Amino acid sequence: DEKEVKGSLKLSEKVEGDTAAVAAEFKLFGENRTVDWALAKQADGWKVVEISSKAGEWALSEIERQQAN
């Protein structure tokens, strides 16, 4: 639930030039979860280019690709 997520949320970030990665670690329904965000610096600021589960269960780009078919 929201309280569990808020109470356990930890963010870490790594910036290398024009790319960055953010990992959000949290508990949800008693299970540890990690969601990774990949960002790219563009002329108008940082843009999210991918969101995925650390466990490799899903990636937003793959979900979008499946829905397009």
Side-chain angles (χ1 to χ4, degrees), residues 13-22 37-42 46-47 49:
E13 62 184 57
K14 183 177 183 180
V15 178
E16 292 183 1
D18 290 343
T19 63
V22 176
W37 299 66
L39 298 100
K41 191 172 187 180
Q42 299 178 356
W46 288 95
K47 303 292 180 184
V49 295

Side-chain angles (χ1 to χ4, degrees), residues 24-25 31-36 51-59:
E25 298 179 45
E31 294 183 22
N32 292 326
R33 307 279 182 157
T34 303
V35 175
D36 292 324
I51 303 171
S52 60
S53 79
K54 185 77 161 189
E57 298 165 337
W58 57 269

